[in-house]
Every structure is written in C-alpha cells, then in structure tokens.
Amino acid sequence: MNILFIMFDQLRWDYLSCYGHKTLNTPNIDQLATQGVRFDRAYIQSPICGSSRMSTYTGRYVHSHGASWNGIPLKVGEMTMGDHLRAAGMGCWLVGKTHMRADEEGMARLGLEPDSLIGARVAECGFDVFERDDGMLPEGPDGYYDPDGAREYNKYLRAKGYESDNPWHDFANSGLDAEGNVQSGWFLKNATRPANIAEEDSETPYLTTRAMEFIEHQTGPWCCHLSYIKPHWPYIVPEPYASMYGPEHVQDVVRSDSERQNAHPLFKAFMDTKVGEAFSRQEVRDAVIPAYMGLIKQADDQMGRLFTWLEETGRMQDTMIVLTSDHGDFLGDHWMGEKTFFHDAATRVPLIVYDPRPEADATRGSVCDALVESIDLAPTFVEAAGGKPAMHILEGESLIPILHGARDHTLRDHVICEYDFSASPIAHLNDISVRQAVMFMVADKDWKLIHFEADPRPMLFDLRNDPQELVDLGGDPAHADVIAGMYDKLFRWTRRQSQRTTRSEEQLIAMRTKSRKRGIVLGIYDENETPLELTVKYRGRKARPYKDYLKG
C-alpha cells in the first residue's frame, strides 16, 4: 500500500461542509470522508506552522523535538517520518511545503555534507524531495523572507510568460488595477480583487499537477507528502473563485464584548497585535473571508481533480489518503487574527483518513469523536507500511485500530498544545523573559486549560456548556478543583520519559534480567546464595600469591 499525505496550510477545521460550514460547499473532500473516517477532535501540537509541522513529521511533542517556533531548526538526530518509513521499506517524498529549517551548525559539527544523501535528508526534514515549495517569497528592506521560497514555481511562471523578478508576488498573490498597477495581496483590502493569474497556473493547481507527475512514475511502496501552501495568506485567489463568495456568505463572528473586557492580560496582548486589531474590524472580515473561502473552494476542486485521476489510474485501490491541516485561522473570532493562541479556531484541525484495505470497510463514512493528535500520523503510517512503530521515539499512537473498527477511541485522556513566543514581538512589548514566554494547553472533551509561565492565573473553558470558548473561568474559585485536575494532567505529561530514545521498552525489560549474566555479582554474601550459573566464572579458579611474582 502507498500513502498520500495531504496537508493544507491554515485550513480551519470548520471551513469544510462535512464539518458543518453553512455556506461553503466542499463536495470532493466530503466524498473522501464518506470513504474513510472523519476525526472530529483532531488537535495540533503548536499553533504555528514550523513547530506544528515538526511535531507531525517527527511524531513528537514540541517539548521533545525542540523546534519551537518558525525558523528554529529541527536538531540533528531527530528521527522523522521519512526515517521510520524507510526502515519499514517505504520511500517518503515531499511535494510542497515543510517550513523546516535545517540545523546547519549541527550538520557541520557531525561532518554531514548537505549534498550527500544523508545530509540532504537531514536538511529536508527526512524527506526525499521531488519539489519543495514553501511558497513564501515576500521582500522587505533587508531582503527576501526566504530566498529559496517559490523557487521552482517562479521558474514555472516565467516559462509561462509571467514577466517579473518575482511573479509569485506580482501575479499569483496580487491583483491589478485599471492602470496596470500591482495591487499587493499583502494589503488586506486587495483580498476582494482576483489574483492576476490564470487559475490553472496558480499555486494549488500547480502543486496538484506536480503530485500527479510524481505518482505516475512510482512503483511503490511510497509515501507522498503533498503539502499545499493555501489557504494561508496572502488572502487572494484567481477567478472564478474570487467572485464566488461575498460578505453575505461569511458566517457570524465568534466573540463577545465581555470576552474582550474581561480578558486575561496575556490573552489581551494577543488580541492587541496588529493582526488582531485588523480582524476585529468588520470591513477586514468582509474583504478577507470570501477570498479565504474561495481558496478553500479551489482546493476542494483540485481534490476532485486529483481523486478522479487516482481512480482512473487505479491508485485509489492501493493508496491510503490522509487529509489534514497544520493549524487553523482565527479570522476575527475572539478578537484575533492568525493562529497563535489555543482556541479551537486555531488548534483543532480537519482530519480525514481513507484506508483502501478491506479491513477498513466497517468504518467507512463514520465520524470518530476520539481525542487525536497530529503526532498520531507518523505511527499510523509506519503500521500501514507494515512496520512496527518505534514507540520509545514516537509519542503518538497509531490510528489503525480505529480505522479497522477494533476501537472507537485513543488511549489518551487529554491532548496537549504548546506555544513558545519568546522570539515574537509580544514577548518584547510585554517585557516577558525568554524562559517565561511559553504557554501550554491541556484539553479533554469537557475542559480546556491554558497555562502561562509568565502569569500564575490560567484560563479555563467549559467545553460542554461553552463550546465557543467565550467565558474564561480560570479566575473563578468555584472551579479550583477542575483547574487542579487539569494541572494534574499537564504535570503527568511533563513527567513522561521523552528523551530516552536509544533503547526501546522491550530492550529495557530484557535488560532487567539478561544483564545479570554479563559478569556482575553484586550484594551476594555467600556464593551459594545465588544460582550456580551466575557465578560459575568465579568458582574453581587458582592463582599464586602475588608476592611469588614479585620475588621473580
């Protein structure tokens, strides 16, 4: 069996019709859900691109792999999905985005050349690269954000006749006014304009084509990580999608005046960012969200194109398909934009898994309410590839038992999400030290607690009675017992053994007894107090007094 691992960037869990969106119809993704299992409580491990993806790719919490913010390298030595799958006999390839930064210092220290096979894999998050496209080539006074961003895509656009030093920006992510002036997609007001590009040349169709080109030449078994850039900002989309939705299709914002007036001080700091202030304005939501919806509709149409092609080529019968996102987007909910906080708008993601094998027939079209984390995908893939997940390294759990109907739940009773904002302006503006600029979310099906290292008061939401997370109960003495119980879960998680990755549980159990036969006899007063076989090397031995040797 093969694995097609599809990830969208910044796709909210509730912006698909199969997850309940009222005006945005996504029939192709919905159809995939009818063929597999739709997970309703899937959570990421960090609400920002880089660290979330590193958890998904390593199968480990941010606390374990250490790549805690965008631009922080994944340290040399961390095993990734590609390493585990290759050990199980499956290739692992990238088409699209990873947001991974290589640990160049660590590679140099160990003598790993970037152009060697091992060095290239270490530098590319364990993937073999068919095409890497992190999709971001904005330029500021000090240069490009990522000089390698959209590298191959820009070559493609220039070959198609899009003349510019940066066609990614000037065509794919900008509009055009009547005088021919580029109207940059970075300015939210321009989200109402169509991107100045033929739809088939825009980023989402381009990556779909590249994935199909990869798959058609594979004999397997293979895992293809098809990682789309959209619907991540810049929020701008070509026609016909630019005209499909308007303010009348935008769902009501989820926020309250009381929520803002009584905000926890650190929560308010996130509200008061530039992007939070922008998305608190209705004109911004009315401009951006229709474009965001258009980007998702385009993505769904491309899924239809891709799934039809897989059917025609016979690949639907031998390929597991997994569709998810790296995080959501507040879009003005809770007076915020972007994703860097812990409400479900940011931390809960869509997750649909289609397993073509007969063992999964019993669960097709089902909805699973289990607490699932993104770190569960790596062990799921290893088991699907026929391997045994290395659970002393991987911290998630395989979802195969759920897919095959053996269980309807995971073995965990809570989920964890982390955010390290020590490198962000919020830490600077609020005079928060690097060590204190970190926060954690622990949630189960009833409660969500947010802990701040920089403030002793947590936030608490009653998910049963307040599913929109509008009323913070963290300062309410009546909920002290609930808070203590959630902290018990968080502290239990922090006490887990996460760094002992060089010996498996089975090896450690074996060492309890087998090591006794390797020569150490400790705490034995008389040789007859222990089995003869353990002391046979110490019995019946002869030696002359040492003084006899000294005389010679």
Side-chain angles (χ1 to χ4, degrees), residues 9 13 54 62 107 131 138 176 259-260 363 374 416 451 464:
D9 197 323
W13 72 279
M54 295 311 104
V62 178
M107 291 177 66
E131 178 163 339
L176 202 67
E259 176 187 35
R260 187 174 184 86
T363 62
S374 293
I416 295 288
H451 166 76
R464 295 287 186 186

Side-chain angles (χ1 to χ4, degrees), residues 152-225:
E152 297 303 316
Y153 180 57
N154 262 348
K155 291 180 183 177
Y156 165 82
L157 291 180
R158 291 190 190 101
K160 294 280 287 187
Y162 295 92
E163 296 180 3
S164 168
D165 62 344
N166 187 1
W168 172 87
H169 173 265
D170 292 349
F171 293 95
N173 286 281
S174 292
L176 202 67
D177 69 11
E179 287 74 41
N181 299 307
V182 171
Q183 304 294 290
S184 175
W186 288 114
F187 304 118
L188 299 179
K189 67 179 183 179
N190 292 327
T192 59
R193 296 179 179 273
N196 184 31
I197 191 170
E199 189 273 330
E200 63 269 20
D201 293 332
S202 58
E203 290 168 288
T204 301
Y206 171 78
L207 282 178
T208 303
T209 299
R210 293 295 285 150
M212 292 160 63
E213 290 171 351
F214 167 79
I215 293 170
E216 68 179 344
H217 293 106
Q218 301 305 307
T219 57
W222 48 265
C223 174
C224 174
H225 180 33

Side-chain angles (χ1 to χ4, degrees), residues 40-229:
D40 203 36
R41 294 181 186 267
Y43 287 88
I44 55 167
Q45 273 50 79
S46 185
I48 193 169
C49 295
S51 49
S52 173
R53 289 168 177 270
M54 295 311 104
S55 284
T56 302
Y57 300 153
T58 62
R60 290 165 60 74
Y61 292 105
V62 178
H63 222 53
S64 301
H65 63 66
S68 59
W69 210 64
N70 289 346
I72 295 181
L74 184 69
K75 59 182 178 287
V76 169
E78 281 292 335
M79 290 185 68
T80 65
M81 188 180 290
D83 299 306
H84 293 287
L85 288 177
R86 277 188 289 272
M90 177 178 281
C92 191
W93 292 80
L94 170 68
V95 179
K97 177 176 182 175
T98 63
H99 217 293
M100 186 264 188
R101 186 68 59 87
D103 180 6
E104 295 176 353
E105 291 184 6
M107 291 177 66
R109 175 171 52 85
L110 297 176
L112 294 175
E113 295 294 337
D115 57 354
S116 67
L117 178 61
I118 295 175
R121 287 173 174 168
V122 169
E124 294 290 355
C125 210
F127 293 104
D128 289 321
V129 176
F130 184 77
E131 178 163 339
R132 178 170 174 176
D133 182 4
D134 276 12
M136 291 291 291
L137 195 58
E139 185 177 13
D142 294 333
Y144 288 110
Y145 171 78
D146 179 2
D148 289 328
R151 181 173 53 192
E152 297 303 316
Y153 180 57
N154 262 348
K155 291 180 183 177
Y156 165 82
L157 291 180
R158 291 190 190 101
K160 294 280 287 187
Y162 295 92
E163 296 180 3
S164 168
D165 62 344
N166 187 1
W168 172 87
H169 173 265
D170 292 349
F171 293 95
N173 286 281
S174 292
L176 202 67
D177 69 11
E179 287 74 41
N181 299 307
V182 171
Q183 304 294 290
S184 175
W186 288 114
F187 304 118
L188 299 179
K189 67 179 183 179
N190 292 327
T192 59
R193 296 179 179 273
N196 184 31
I197 191 170
E199 189 273 330
E200 63 269 20
D201 293 332
S202 58
E203 290 168 288
T204 301
Y206 171 78
L207 282 178
T208 303
T209 299
R210 293 295 285 150
M212 292 160 63
E213 290 171 351
F214 167 79
I215 293 170
E216 68 179 344
H217 293 106
Q218 301 305 307
T219 57
W222 48 265
C223 174
C224 174
H225 180 33
L226 173 54
S227 184
Y228 287 99
I229 298 149

Side-chain angles (χ1 to χ4, degrees), residues 215-426:
I215 293 170
E216 68 179 344
H217 293 106
Q218 301 305 307
T219 57
W222 48 265
C223 174
C224 174
H225 180 33
L226 173 54
S227 184
Y228 287 99
I229 298 149
K230 297 298 185 181
H232 190 284
W233 37 257
Y235 304 102
I236 192 165
V237 65
E239 292 289 14
Y241 303 99
S243 300
M244 283 188 179
Y245 304 102
E248 69 275 15
H249 298 107
V250 174
Q251 295 189 146
D252 292 340
V253 68
V254 178
R255 65 188 182 207
S256 71
D257 290 335
S258 175
E259 176 187 35
R260 187 174 184 86
Q261 292 162 4
N262 301 304
H264 185 290
L266 281 175
F267 180 28
K268 188 175 187 303
F270 282 83
M271 289 179 176
D272 290 344
T273 61
K274 187 70 174 177
V275 69
E277 292 175 351
F279 276 91
S280 295
R281 294 158 51 187
Q282 191 59 41
E283 63 180 319
V284 172
R285 282 174 44 83
D286 287 347
V288 167
I289 295 179
Y292 180 75
M293 293 170 64
L295 288 165
I296 295 170
K297 184 64 175 177
Q298 182 189 38
D300 184 72
D301 284 349
Q302 287 300 307
M303 291 301 93
R305 175 186 170 214
L306 177 60
F307 298 156
T308 298
W309 181 81
L310 291 172
E311 286 280 8
E312 292 172 349
T313 57
R315 289 297 193 184
M316 286 295 286
Q317 286 71 51
D318 66 6
T319 303
M320 172 182 279
I321 301 175
V322 178
L323 187 148
T324 191
S325 174
D326 61 347
H327 52 72
D329 192 327
F330 276 102
L331 297 172
D333 286 357
H334 308 289
W335 307 97
M336 288 189 290
E338 273 286 81
K339 59 265 186 179
T340 52
F341 211 75
F342 292 133
H343 296 79
D344 276 7
T347 59
R348 193 170 170 181
V349 291
L351 176 61
I352 298 169
V353 182
Y354 159 73
D355 186 336
R357 295 173 293 186
E359 294 89 336
D361 287 349
T363 62
R364 299 200 189 282
S366 64
V367 179
C368 181
D369 193 44
L371 291 171
V372 172
E373 296 181 313
S374 293
I375 57 173
D376 295 339
L377 295 181
T380 300
F381 293 175
V382 172
E383 186 170 348
K388 183 179 179 181
M391 301 315 296
H392 58 299
I393 301 173
L394 297 167
E395 296 188 282
E397 58 180 275
S398 173
L399 300 177
I400 296 295
I402 294 177
L403 297 173
H404 292 180
R407 281 205 319 262
D408 62 0
H409 61 280
T410 51
L411 302 179
R412 62 175 60 89
D413 66 355
H414 63 272
V415 294
I416 295 288
C417 194
E418 312 167 58
Y419 184 50
D420 173 358
F421 60 99
S422 57
S424 77
I426 291 174

